[in-house]
Amino acid sequence: MKLLTITIGCLGMILAASCKNQPKEEVKPQVVEVPKQIPGTPIKFDSSKRYIYLTWDDSPQPPGTMVCKDIFHKEGVKATFFSVGMHAFDIRRKRLVDEIRNSYPEFLVANHSYTHGFQDKYKSFYNLPDSAVNDFLRNEQELKVPVKIIRLPGCNSWVLDGEMKGQPSTKKVYEKLDALGYSVIGWDVEWRFLHGNVPVQGAEQMAKEVNEKFEDALTVAPNAVVILAHDRMFAKPQYADSLSRFIEILKKDPKNVFETIDHYPLIKYAVKDTINKKK
Ligand SMILES: [Zn+2]
């Protein structure tokens, strides 16, 4: 016991001696402030490029959302997560939305309603336009959505700068959103899924569909393809691989540029502050 006390005592002295030799003040690395980019700030389009918008719906839905986010990051492509407030029901999911929002300009959080259209009861949702609009406003507030960009749950409808079109059942809702200064984004190509969230198309087929849309000029805005998919489809490794492969095929064409949806050519009023200044 005595021996042990002496040993510890010696060790303490040795440590104290070695600490004396260390510099008193830590040299801190210089922090360079990078100005934060504001979502919705217009970009300059290059007519020689083809713009691709990966717009993934229904987040936060872990683990799919994390898987997609990691793949996009690894591949170095931008993407938009159309998010649902009701899905952010615990601290982990709220943090996931925060992470995505804070990673702009890499990723953008956009608005996909708070209740996902009264929990998929689309008919009642679109039959009650005021409640539907309030649902989007609630989502914007809860998730701190930084842009006035909405995707209607379950419907491919569009409200753009000077253009509106979509499913007649959603007309009253998207007209109200238009009057409030919102853009509504549908999609040009959908990566469909079956029950159990199994993707229908493979990576090569999806890339083919995207290329055909560009080549046949069948997109809503020229030179721009909006792709819809859902985070949850890629939770399993074999489908995650398919997503990586899809992006890798598209990246091989140097004309392809991946952007967030606030940089869509026909978007209006993307910057909230700008709208306030205009009013
Ligand atoms: Zn949805």
Side-chain angles (χ1 to χ4, degrees):
M1 193 65 191
K2 207 172 182 182
L3 183 68
L4 183 70
T5 315
I6 293 164
T7 316
I8 292 169
C10 290
L11 192 66
M13 278 162 70
I14 293 163
L15 282 174
S18 65
C19 285
K20 272 180 196 165
N21 296 333
Q22 283 180 7
K24 276 180 188 166
E25 274 184 44
E26 208 183 305
V27 179
K28 285 182 184 166
Q30 217 186 345
V31 180
V32 180
E33 288 260 332
V34 179
K36 255 195 152 185
Q37 291 193 48
I38 301 164
T41 310
I43 57 161
K44 227 180 156 190
F45 290 99
D46 178 346
S47 58
S48 68
K49 299 285 184 192
R50 312 193 313 182
Y51 289 85
I52 294 172
Y53 302 86
L54 303 169
T55 62
W56 264 221
D57 280 10
D58 299 357
S59 64
Q61 285 192 320
T65 303
M66 273 98 82
V67 171
C68 293
K69 195 170 140 293
D70 290 348
I71 290 173
F72 296 149
H73 182 71
K74 193 171 150 244
E75 296 291 344
V77 294
K78 294 183 178 183
T80 303
F81 291 86
F82 278 97
S83 305
V84 174
M86 219 175 75
H87 293 171
F89 54 75
D90 61 21
I91 193 77
R92 180 173 159 236
R93 288 173 178 234
K94 281 188 176 74
R95 274 197 197 132
L96 188 51
V97 177
D98 290 344
E99 252 178 62
I100 297 171
R101 191 191 321 99
N102 294 337
S103 64
Y104 188 84
E106 185 177 23
F107 304 129
L108 175 73
V109 171
N111 193 341
H112 194 39
S113 83
Y114 184 80
T115 61
H116 200 272
F118 298 165
Q119 293 178 272
D120 304 350
K121 293 184 184 74
Y122 303 133
K123 206 176 164 202
S124 338
F125 185 74
Y126 294 110
N127 273 341
L128 297 165
D130 288 326
S131 306
V133 168
N134 283 336
D135 201 70
F136 287 111
L137 298 180
R138 182 182 178 192
N139 197 46
E140 181 177 290
Q141 219 168 24
E142 296 270 345
L143 298 183
K144 301 185 192 78
V145 179
V147 286
K148 296 185 82 164
I149 302 175
I150 284 172
R151 168 164 289 142
L152 300 187
C155 289
N156 192 356
S157 298
W158 299 77
V159 171
L160 298 165
D161 197 5
E163 193 185 346
M164 271 195 275
K165 59 180 179 182
Q167 283 173 244
S169 60
T170 66
K171 197 168 181 240
K172 279 190 182 148
V173 173
Y174 69 66
E175 279 178 348
K176 277 181 182 284
L177 292 171
D178 174 55
L180 291 170
Y182 286 85
S183 294
V184 174
I185 292 289
W187 57 90
D188 296 299
V189 179
E190 182 182 358
W191 199 334
R192 299 184 305 279
F193 62 92
L194 299 168
H195 290 294
N197 302 315
V198 175
V200 172
Q201 303 101 312
E204 287 75 13
Q205 175 62 26
M206 269 304 291
K208 192 172 160 251
E209 288 182 26
V210 170
N211 283 325
E212 280 171 0
K213 284 278 173 183
F214 276 125
E215 282 154 21
D216 303 339
L218 290 172
T219 53
V220 170
N223 254 0
V225 165
V226 178
I227 301 165
L228 160 68
H230 292 78
D231 309 12
R232 59 183 178 271
M233 293 161 55
F234 308 100
K236 289 183 180 162
Q238 67 267 41
Y239 306 131
D241 286 349
S242 188
L243 175 58
S244 301
R245 214 164 52 246
F246 169 60
I247 295 169
E248 276 157 22
I249 297 169
L250 294 176
K251 271 167 62 180
K252 278 185 191 153
D253 188 333
K255 289 197 298 295
N256 290 340
V257 175
F258 294 81
E259 264 301 347
T260 44
I261 203 67
D262 53 330
H263 295 149
Y264 186 69
L266 302 174
I267 210 87
K268 61 168 185 175
Y269 307 141
V271 182
K272 283 194 196 171
D273 287 341
T274 312
I275 309 159
N276 295 334
K277 274 175 204 158
K278 274 184 186 171
K279 275 180 184 171

